[in-house]
Amino acid sequence: MNADIFLWLVQDGVTNGAIYALLALALLLVFAVTRVIFVPQGEFITYAALSLSLLEAGRTPGTIYILAVGGLAAAAIDGYAALRERAWRRLPRIAALYIVLPLAIAFLVAWAAPRKLDQWIQVLLVLAMVVPLGPIVYRIAFQPLANASVLVLFIVSMAVHYILSGLSLVFFGGEGLRSSPFWDARFKLGVVEISAQSLFVVAASLLLIVGLWLLFEHSIYGKALRATAINRVGARLVGIPTALTGQLSFLLAAFIGAVSGILISSITTLYYDTGFLIGLKGFVGAILGGMASYPLAAAGALVLGLLESFSSFWASAFKEVIVFTSIIPMLVWLSLRSRHVEEDEE
Amino acid sequence: MSAALEIDGLSVAYGKVEALHRATLRVNEGAIATVIGPNGAGKSTLLAAIMGLLPSKGILRYAGALLDGSSTEERVARGMCLVPERRELFAELSVHDNLLLGAFHRRGDGARALAADFAEVYARFPRLKERSGQLAGTLSGGERQMLALGRALMAKPRLLLLDEPSLGLAPRVVRETFHIIADLKRTGVSMLLVEQNARAALQVADYAYVLEVGDIVLEGPAAELAGNPRVVETYLGLSSAAR
Amino acid sequence: MIGARAALVLFTAFLAAAPFFLSEFYVTLMNYIGLSTLVALGLVLLTGVAGLMSFGQQAFVGVGAYTSAVLAVHYGASPWIGLAAGLALTGLIAVGLGVITVRLSGHYLPLSTIAWGISVYFLFGNLEMLNKHDGVGGLPPVAIAGWKLDTGRESYVLIWLVVLAALLAARNLLDSRSGRAVRALRFRATMAESFGIDTARLKLVIFLYAALLAGLSGWLYAHFTRYVSPGAFTVNMGIEYLFMAVVGGASQVWGAVIGASLLTLLKEWLKDILPTFFESSGNYEVIVFGLLMLPLLHRARDGLMPVLARLGRAGRRAPARVVTADPLPRRAGPAAGTPLLALAGVQKNFGGLAAVRALSFDMRAGEILGLIGPNGAGKSTAFNLVTGVLPSDAGEIRFCGGRIDALPARRIARLGIARTFQHVNLVGAMSVLENVAIGAHLRGAKGSVRAMLRLDRDEERRLLHEAAKQVERVGLTAHLNDASASLPLGQQRLVEIARALAADPVLLLLDEPAAGLRFQEKQALAALLRRLRSEGMSILLVEHDMDFVMGLVERLVVMDFGEKIAEGLPRDIQANAVVIEAYLGGIEEDAP
C-alpha cells in the first residue's frame, strides 16, 4: 500500500466514521432518554436517501403515504386516549399535529416532485417527510410501553424495524439508487486528492454535533432531555412530561437519521435494506465507545469507519464480518470490568 | 378552613399486596399536616400516589378539584410538588441546572421571574450559591437536601409534599430543615410532611396522622398526639427510656 | 374446557397420526414447524425464563447445518459425525460469546447477537469452502441402523421425536433445583447469588443450551432439505425465532410449539395471498408480522400461552404433595460463645460519601446481636458488606476466623451465612415451597443435565422435604403451594426467613424483618427468633423498630452516619445520651 491509497482510505474512513458518529450519538440519546435500543433508526437513513434520489428523478417518493397513514394511526391512538379521558381540548392539537401537518407535507411533496426543484429544496422536502416519522413511530409503538423493560422495548424495536423495512421494499422496490453529489469538486491537498463531498459530510456532521451540544447545554428542552436520561423519577417530579421527552428524542433520532441518509445518498448506492446495516454500525460505534459517553461513542464510531475502510481494502469480502466482530474486544473489556449482578425491574 | 388536599379512601396495591388501605386525610390551606409511622407503613407510597407516580384507587382532591386521571406533570403544573425521600436530583447536572429544571413547568414565565426566584433560593441557601456550578452528584448529604428543597421552591408550589426531609442529616442540618419548613408555612405554602423523626414532625405540624401497615390508626392535632401515650410509647421511642 | 394432561395427549395423538393423513406439503410444513420449535424453545428458556435475549439463534442453526454439510459433502463423513462436530462447534462458540456477554447489562446480549448473526451470515456467503452464496448441496440423508430417512415423512419422525424429547427435557429442567435457580435469574439475581447460585454461570448454561438446540435444529434441517445456503440464516430469521417465542409466551415451554406453529403457518399463508395485493414480489409478510407484534406486545406481553392456559385451565398446577424423604445432612456449627463474626475498620464509600466509616464490632456464636440506628445510618450497607452483595473499600471482615471481605456473595453463602432482604425478594410466580427450596440450593448438587433426564428425583424429594419443614417452622404450611406474590407482606417476610433457614446457616442475617408487620405479627416473629436462638442459631438483626429489638437481643450496636456510635446491653443503650441525640435529632433546644 502506498501513501496515496493510505490517505484515500483514511479519507473514506473518516467520512463514513463521521456519519456513524452522528448515528451513535442519536442512538445513545434515545437509549438514555427512553431506554429504547432504536434499531429502526437505520430505516430513516434509507427513507431519506431513497426519497432524495426519487425526487431528483422527478418521481413522488412513497414516503408520503407512510407519513400520512402513520399520522392517521397516531391521531387515532392519541384521539382515542383523549376521548376516553374526556380531554376535548387536546383534540384540535392532535388533529393539527398528526393529520393536517403530515397531509400538508404529503401534498406539498406530491406537487413538488414532478417539478424537479432545486436540490436544496428537495433536501428540505426530504427532511419534512422523514423527520415527523420519528415522533409518529414513538407515539404508535413505544409510548404505550413507556414503563416496559429494556428487553420488551427491544422486541418492539425489532417489530418496528420489520414494518418499516417491509414498507421500504414496497415503496422503493428492490433496485439500488444513488443521488447526485451536492458538490462535485475535488481538491489537491499535497499528494492526496480530497473530494468536496467528503469534506461536506465531515463538516455537516461536525456542525450537527456542535448543534446537539448547544441544545443540551443551553436550552431548557435539551436540559430536560438530559435530566430525563439521568433520573426519570426526578424528571417527572419537576413536571417534565416523559411523553414529550420521548417524542423529542425520537424527533432528533429521525432528524439525524434523515441527515445521514441525505449525506450518504451521493456516496454509495443504497438499497431498501441498506440503512439497517448502517444504523447497526452506529450501534457498533456506540458500543466501541462503551455505550455511555457521547464523546467516546463518537470516537468509537470514527475508529469503526477507519476499520471498515481499511478492511475493505485488505479483505473486501469479509469487510462486514470484521466490522461486526470488532465489538468483541470491547465486550470482553466491559465484561471484565463489570462486577455487579444484573437484574430486570419487574 | 378550606382544604389544600383531601384524600378519601385511598388504596394502593403492589400486585396483590396492599400497601395503603383506604387512607383518609386532609391538609388545610396554609397548614402543615404530618404522617408518622414505622418503616414499611406505606408513608412513601401515600406521597407517590398523591403525585400520580403510582396508580391508586379512591378520591384525591386538590384545591377543591378532583385529580383522577391527571398525570404527574399536570399535578406539578397545578402547584403540587414532592421532595422525595431519595431526593432524585440530576446528579450529572450542575446545581444551577437542577434549580432551573425545578422551574420547568414555568418555562413560559420569562427570565426576570426566574432570576428573582433564583435570588430567593440562593438567599435561603447561600451554600447552594457557592456551589452553583458544581455537579449535584458531588454534594454532601445536607447540601443535597438543600438542593432538593431549593429545586422544589423553584416550582413555586402551593402544596409541598415532603418525604423524610431529615433522613440521614446531621442534627444541626435537621434543625435548619425544620426552620425552613416553619418559614415556608408563613409564606402560605400548605405541606404534607412524612417523617420518621416523629418528635420534630409533631413540633412543626398542625395536625398529625399515624400510619401503620397501610392503615391510619390515629389522628389529631399535632400537639395532642405528641402527648398521646401510645404515640409516646411507640414513635417517640427512646423518650420512654430517657425519662 | 380441557385439562393440561388432556391437551398433551391430544397433541401427541395428533403428532402420531399426522404423517398418515397429511399431504406431502403439510408434512414438510410440520417439519419446518418442528425445526423452528427447537430454536424457539431455546429462546423461551433464554428470554422468557432467564431474561436474556438473543437475535442470533439463526447463526447457531447455520453453524450446525454447515458443519455437517461440509463434513458430509467434502469429506464424506456420516451425518452422525456431522452432528457431533456441529454441536461441538456451536457449543464452543456459544461459550465464547456467552462468557463475554452474560455479565453485561441486558441490552448487550441482543445487540452482540445481532452483530454476530450478521458476521456469520456474511461469513457463510463469502467463504470459498462453503461455496459462497450458492451454498452446499447434495447432502446425504440421516440413516439410523441402515434405515435412510430420505423422505419428508421419514424426516418427520426424527424431527418430532427430537422436538418432543427437547420439550420434555426443558420441562423437567424448570421443575428442578437448577430450574428454580434459572427462574430466579431474571428478577432476583442478587437474591440468587446470596444463596450460592452462580448466576453468570447459570446464564451461560442456558445460553449454551439454547445454542445447542439451535445447532441441533440446523443439523436436522441440513439433512432434511439436503441443501444449505446462507439465505436460510439471515438476520430476519433470528428476529422471527424470537417473535415465535414471544407470540407463544416466552415463559412457557409449550409456548414454543404454539409460537412456531402460528408464525410458520401465517408466513406460508401470507406468502400465498400478499403478492396478489402488491404488483411485485418480495417478503411483504414482514410488515404483517411487525404489525401483529405491536398490539401483542402492548396488550399481552406474556404471549398467547397464558391466554390459552386460562381458557383451558392448563395454567393451574396440581398442588405438589410433600413426600417424606431422608433429611438432608446438617452443617456442624461452631460451639456457642466462640467468635463468629468480626468487623474491623470496614469502610464503604458511594461517590465520595462514606456510607460506612471505620465500622468495627464482634459477634459470638449463639447470640442475637442487634444493629440499630436511624434511617440512612448505614445499617443496610453494613449488612450488604458482610454478605458480599457490595465490596468493601477498606477493612477486614472475618467469619469463623477466615476473611470474607473479598469474597462474592455466593462464596459467603457457602460458608453458612444466610440472609433475608429488607425489600422482600421472592420469585412472585413461584410457590412458597419452591421459593424456600431456593434457600437449600447449596445443599443439593444435581445439575441441569441430570434434571433434564430426571436423574435428580431422590435429591429433589429431599430438598423439597427440607423446604416444607422450614415452611412449617415459620407456620405457613397452609400456604405451601400458593404463589408467593399472593401472600400479604407479613407472610412474605416469613417466607424470606424460611428460605434463609433452608440454607442450614450458622449465622442468620435479618434485614428489618419487622418492617411493615402488624403488632401480632411482630410478636410471632419475636417468638420465632427466640426459638431459633434456643436451638443454637446466631442471628444478626438490623432493625429500625426499637421496641422490637429491645426485648430480643443480647447486645446492640448503634450506628449513625455510617459510624458506630455505641455498643452494649439494651438497657445501657437506652440511657446513652449520644444514642438519644442521634434518634431524636436534637431539635429541642431552639425549635420554633
Side-chain angles (χ1 to χ4, degrees):
Chain A
M1 182 197 308
N2 58 27
D4 273 4
I5 294 178
F6 177 81
L7 288 171
W8 187 81
L9 289 176
V10 168
Q11 178 197 312
D12 188 45
V14 169
T15 312
N16 285 335
I19 286 175
Y20 299 152
L22 267 183
L23 295 172
L25 294 186
L27 294 169
L28 269 191
L29 169 74
V30 169
F31 180 60
V33 175
T34 64
R35 297 174 304 127
V36 172
I37 298 280
F38 193 44
V39 176
Q41 153 116 320
E43 265 75 46
F44 293 139
I45 303 173
T46 311
Y47 283 15
L50 297 185
S51 298
L52 185 62
S53 299
L54 288 178
L55 280 179
E56 269 186 14
R59 290 159 61 193
T60 309
T63 322
I64 58 171
Y65 304 114
I66 302 174
L67 179 65
V69 174
L72 285 176
I77 294 174
D78 234 10
Y80 177 68
L83 287 182
R84 228 180 25 182
E85 290 165 28
R86 297 167 188 284
W88 317 110
R89 280 177 306 168
R90 294 219 303 263
L91 290 177
R93 195 174 154 272
I94 293 170
L97 226 55
Y98 289 133
I99 302 177
V100 178
L101 185 68
L103 284 179
I105 294 170
F107 280 115
L108 182 68
V109 172
W111 172 83
R115 289 176 170 72
K116 294 200 186 182
L117 300 172
D118 183 72
Q119 194 174 27
W120 287 105
I121 294 178
Q122 290 175 353
V123 165
L124 289 179
L125 287 177
V126 167
L127 288 177
M129 276 187 288
V130 178
V131 176
L133 288 177
I136 287 175
V137 163
Y138 180 75
R139 183 63 196 89
I140 297 174
F142 294 99
Q143 197 172 314
L145 285 168
N147 295 318
S149 71
V150 172
L151 293 189
V152 168
L153 292 171
F154 203 136
I155 305 177
V156 176
S157 251
M158 285 313 215
V160 172
H161 157 64
Y162 250 47
I163 298 170
L164 292 181
S165 72
L167 291 174
S168 183
L169 179 60
V170 172
F171 288 110
F172 299 113
E175 58 185 317
L177 293 171
R178 187 173 189 153
S179 69
S180 55
F182 296 95
W183 201 5
D184 241 345
R186 300 185 85 77
F187 302 108
K188 264 289 200 218
L189 201 79
V191 288
V192 67
E193 199 176 59
I194 292 177
S195 79
Q197 186 69 15
S198 293
L199 275 183
F200 187 76
V201 169
V202 174
S205 302
L206 282 177
L207 210 66
L208 263 181
I209 290 173
V210 171
L212 284 178
W213 178 78
L214 285 176
L215 175 75
F216 287 125
E217 287 300 314
H218 294 285
S219 92
I220 184 93
Y221 288 99
K223 282 175 184 169
L225 275 181
R226 280 180 70 198
T228 312
I230 295 166
N231 187 332
R232 295 175 69 79
V233 176
R236 291 181 70 185
L237 287 178
V238 298
I240 297 172
T242 40
L244 177 79
T245 49
Q247 302 230 333
L248 202 54
S249 62
F250 271 66
L251 184 95
L252 281 173
F255 177 66
I256 287 174
V259 170
S260 308
I262 291 166
L263 290 176
I264 217 167
S265 65
S266 64
I267 300 178
T268 63
T269 304
L270 275 96
Y271 297 85
Y272 80 97
D273 59 352
T274 315
F276 176 55
L277 273 193
I278 300 176
L280 285 179
K281 285 175 192 166
F283 271 114
V284 172
I287 292 179
L288 287 183
M291 201 79 194
S293 113
Y294 292 92
L296 281 181
L302 207 60
V303 169
L304 186 75
L306 289 170
L307 180 72
E308 185 180 22
S309 124
F310 279 88
S311 50
S312 69
F313 178 74
W314 274 309
S316 85
F318 298 102
K319 185 184 81 174
E320 308 292 1
V321 181
I322 294 171
V323 164
F324 282 103
T325 45
S326 70
I327 55 171
I328 287 181
M330 191 63 204
L331 291 176
V332 171
W333 189 73
L334 286 171
S335 187
L336 288 177
R337 259 183 13 148
S338 97
R339 189 199 141 123
H340 85 282
V341 177
E342 191 67 36
E343 61 186 19
D344 259 9
E345 330 98 74
E346 233 164 335
Chain B
M1 197 182 268
S2 66
L5 180 73
E6 277 177 291
I7 295 172
D8 197 358
L10 191 74
S11 301
V12 179
Y14 298 100
K16 284 181 188 155
V17 182
E18 206 168 55
L20 193 64
H21 178 67
R22 301 182 65 80
T24 297
L25 57 86
R26 68 185 261 149
V27 183
N28 283 331
E29 197 71 59
I32 301 180
T34 186
V35 175
I36 59 174
N39 273 3
K43 301 184 303 254
S44 296
T45 303
L46 171 70
L47 293 189
I50 294 175
M51 275 317 277
L53 291 170
L54 287 175
S56 57
K57 275 194 225 127
I59 293 171
L60 271 173
R61 201 178 296 239
Y62 166 69
L66 280 177
L67 280 178
D68 49 329
S70 63
S71 62
T72 302
E73 66 259 20
E74 282 164 355
R75 295 178 201 211
V76 173
R78 285 161 73 174
M80 299 170 67
C81 188
L82 167 65
V83 179
E85 183 183 331
R86 294 156 47 94
R87 318 301 193 227
E88 310 288 3
L89 299 172
F90 308 118
E92 292 138 61
L93 294 183
S94 69
V95 167
H96 178 273
D97 283 353
N98 269 274
L99 292 174
L100 181 69
L101 285 166
F104 182 82
H105 78 91
R106 300 167 49 222
R107 58 195 178 280
D109 277 10
R112 191 168 303 165
L114 277 191
D117 296 337
F118 265 113
E120 199 185 313
V121 168
Y122 281 146
R124 205 183 278 281
F125 306 102
R127 217 19 198 283
L128 293 184
K129 187 169 190 182
E130 288 166 32
R131 310 201 164 224
S132 72
Q134 215 169 307
L135 296 187
T138 64
L139 299 182
S140 75
E143 290 163 346
R144 281 173 202 223
Q145 171 59 13
M146 288 178 198
L147 181 56
L149 269 174
R151 188 177 73 178
L153 295 184
M154 289 297 289
K156 292 259 169 201
R158 287 168 55 202
L159 172 67
L160 193 55
L161 310 172
L162 297 163
D163 196 356
E164 308 268 6
S166 76
L167 182 66
L169 299 183
R172 189 181 50 77
V173 188
V174 173
R175 271 198 296 279
E176 273 176 38
T177 306
F178 279 95
H179 276 311
I180 290 167
I181 291 171
D183 216 30
L184 280 176
K185 184 188 161 188
R186 279 193 282 278
T187 66
V189 180
S190 320
M191 275 175 270
L192 181 58
L193 170 67
V194 157
E195 253 300 341
Q196 44 113 13
N197 189 335
R199 174 160 303 233
L202 291 176
Q203 273 175 8
V204 76
D206 302 295
Y207 201 83
Y209 299 86
V210 177
L211 189 65
E212 270 182 15
V213 207
D215 286 310
I216 288 182
V217 293
L218 261 182
E219 63 170 280
E224 250 172 55
L225 235 60
N228 179 313
R230 183 168 164 199
V231 174
V232 171
E233 183 70 28
T234 315
Y235 298 107
L236 304 179
L238 278 169
S239 59
S240 54
R243 265 195 309 257
Chain C
M1 298 268 241
I2 47 168
R5 192 166 289 273
L8 188 61
V9 170
L10 276 178
F11 175 66
T12 324
F14 169 77
L15 282 184
F20 297 107
F21 67 84
L22 287 182
S23 69
E24 194 65 37
F25 174 78
Y26 281 103
V27 168
T28 306
L29 208 55
M30 284 295 290
N31 285 349
Y32 279 113
I33 290 175
L35 294 171
S36 297
T37 301
L38 277 181
V39 187
L41 175 63
L43 283 172
V44 162
L45 294 178
L46 195 65
T47 304
V49 182
L52 302 165
M53 196 188 279
S54 165
F55 286 104
Q57 297 308 100
Q58 85 287 1
F60 293 118
V61 180
V63 170
Y66 265 111
T67 310
S68 196
V70 168
L71 287 178
V73 173
H74 293 336
Y75 303 97
S78 133
W80 297 107
I81 292 178
L83 175 65
L87 289 183
L89 189 57
T90 310
L92 214 62
I93 295 170
V95 169
L97 265 181
V99 161
I100 59 175
T101 46
V102 294
R103 275 172 211 280
L104 299 175
S105 305
H107 54 277
Y108 279 103
L109 188 61
L111 273 176
S112 335
T113 48
I114 292 178
W116 131 258
I118 291 175
S119 304
V120 168
Y121 171 74
F122 281 105
L123 201 62
F124 288 157
N126 287 294
L127 277 180
E128 204 71 60
M129 186 174 69
L130 304 183
N131 221 358
K132 297 201 169 171
H133 283 283
D134 296 334
V136 182
L139 271 71
V142 176
I144 302 172
W147 174 37
K148 280 198 170 152
L149 308 176
D150 49 10
T151 67
R153 272 170 225 276
E154 284 161 317
S155 292
Y156 173 96
V157 177
L158 178 65
I159 290 173
W160 277 98
L161 281 178
V162 171
V163 171
L164 280 180
L167 283 168
L168 286 179
R171 203 201 58 181
N172 290 348
L173 173 67
L174 288 182
D175 181 29
S176 74
R177 169 179 173 269
S178 302
R180 285 187 291 272
V182 173
R183 287 154 76 190
L185 276 182
R186 184 163 178 191
F187 301 114
R188 300 286 179 255
T190 311
M191 179 277 288
E193 288 273 331
S194 296
F195 285 97
I197 295 165
D198 187 340
T199 54
R201 188 175 159 274
L202 199 56
K203 285 177 179 177
L204 187 60
V205 168
I206 295 296
F207 188 62
L208 175 65
Y209 181 57
L212 289 178
L213 282 178
L216 184 60
S217 169
W219 175 77
L220 287 167
Y221 166 81
H223 293 282
F224 156 56
T225 61
R226 314 272 197 83
Y227 167 69
V228 178
S229 77
F233 314 113
T234 59
V235 183
N236 275 12
M237 274 319 294
I239 299 173
E240 268 157 44
Y241 286 132
L242 194 88
F243 284 176
M244 287 174 191
V246 173
V247 166
S251 61
Q252 319 247 353
V253 168
W254 297 100
V257 185
I258 292 173
S261 310
L262 277 180
L263 259 71
T264 310
L265 293 173
L266 183 66
K267 191 171 182 175
E268 203 52 47
W269 179 67
L270 288 173
K271 274 187 170 162
D272 272 351
I273 62 155
L274 281 184
T276 55
F277 291 105
F278 303 106
E279 289 124 39
S280 56
S281 66
N283 48 339
Y284 300 121
E285 70 276 3
V286 295
I287 306 175
V288 181
F289 276 14
L291 287 174
L292 290 177
M293 285 306 288
L294 283 187
L296 183 78
L297 288 163
H298 290 180
R299 301 277 160 177
R301 220 178 289 173
D302 297 329
L304 296 178
M305 185 64 194
V307 179
L308 294 176
R310 270 198 297 280
L311 288 179
R313 288 180 308 171
R316 273 207 69 74
R317 298 200 300 153
R321 263 172 308 142
V322 181
V323 282
T324 45
D326 296 338
L328 293 167
R330 300 273 320 259
R331 197 192 302 268
T338 53
L340 187 67
L341 181 72
L343 276 73
V346 174
Q347 184 93 16
K348 179 71 194 174
N349 301 318
F350 290 118
L353 299 172
V356 168
R357 214 186 311 232
L359 180 65
S360 307
F361 65 83
D362 297 309
M363 185 181 170
R364 293 180 177 279
E367 74 172 333
I368 299 186
L369 179 69
L371 184 59
I372 63 166
N375 271 355
K379 305 177 301 260
S380 283
T381 307
F383 215 81
N384 285 335
L385 294 175
V386 171
T387 50
V389 169
L390 291 171
S392 57
D393 294 332
E396 240 182 64
I397 305 173
R398 284 177 182 279
F399 178 67
C400 292
R403 277 188 73 158
I404 58 168
D405 43 89
L407 299 182
R410 60 175 184 276
R411 297 282 305 282
I412 293 176
R414 215 168 263 281
L415 299 173
I417 297 184
R419 66 171 295 179
T420 65
F421 292 82
Q422 189 184 343
H423 298 287
V424 172
N425 218 332
L426 301 172
V427 184
M430 264 162 56
S431 70
V432 167
L433 181 69
E434 288 175 302
N435 266 294
V436 174
I438 289 179
H441 186 84
L442 285 175
R443 301 171 76 184
K446 300 279 194 285
S448 318
V449 178
R450 280 168 204 257
M452 288 184 201
L453 301 174
R454 289 267 141 155
L455 296 174
D456 62 339
R457 289 297 99 180
D458 181 49
E459 181 186 279
E460 179 72 3
R461 265 191 297 279
R462 296 176 71 186
L463 287 176
L464 290 180
H465 179 63
E466 171 71 17
K469 229 165 55 188
Q470 301 304 344
V471 173
E472 188 186 351
R473 210 166 171 190
V474 299
L476 288 177
T477 301
H479 300 287
L480 207 55
N481 293 305
D482 295 350
S484 66
S486 70
L487 300 185
L489 181 67
Q491 294 187 339
Q492 292 198 18
R493 288 207 181 278
L494 292 177
V495 178
E496 285 255 324
I497 295 175
R499 182 178 62 198
L501 290 174
D504 184 27
V506 175
L507 171 60
L508 188 60
L509 280 80
L510 305 177
D511 197 350
E512 301 218 15
L517 296 198
R518 290 163 203 278
F519 185 69
Q520 290 87 343
E521 291 172 332
K522 283 186 190 177
Q523 303 283 72
L525 177 63
L528 171 66
L529 297 185
R530 285 201 190 89
R531 206 162 63 234
L532 287 175
R533 174 177 48 192
S534 71
E535 292 165 17
M537 181 73 69
S538 319
I539 300 173
L540 177 58
L541 181 70
V542 163
E543 242 322 319
H544 179 72
D545 183 338
M546 297 284 280
D547 274 357
F548 178 75
V549 173
M550 287 301 170
L552 195 62
V553 303
E554 271 93 10
R555 278 191 313 128
L556 279 168
V557 170
V558 190
M559 285 182 77
D560 196 17
F561 295 106
E563 282 176 309
K564 182 173 82 176
I565 57 167
E567 179 173 4
L569 303 175
R571 69 183 128 77
D572 298 337
I573 293 292
Q574 277 179 310
N576 185 316
V578 185
V579 176
I580 292 171
E581 162 82 9
Y583 257 81
L584 301 185
I587 62 154
E588 266 89 331
E589 309 104 277
D590 55 3

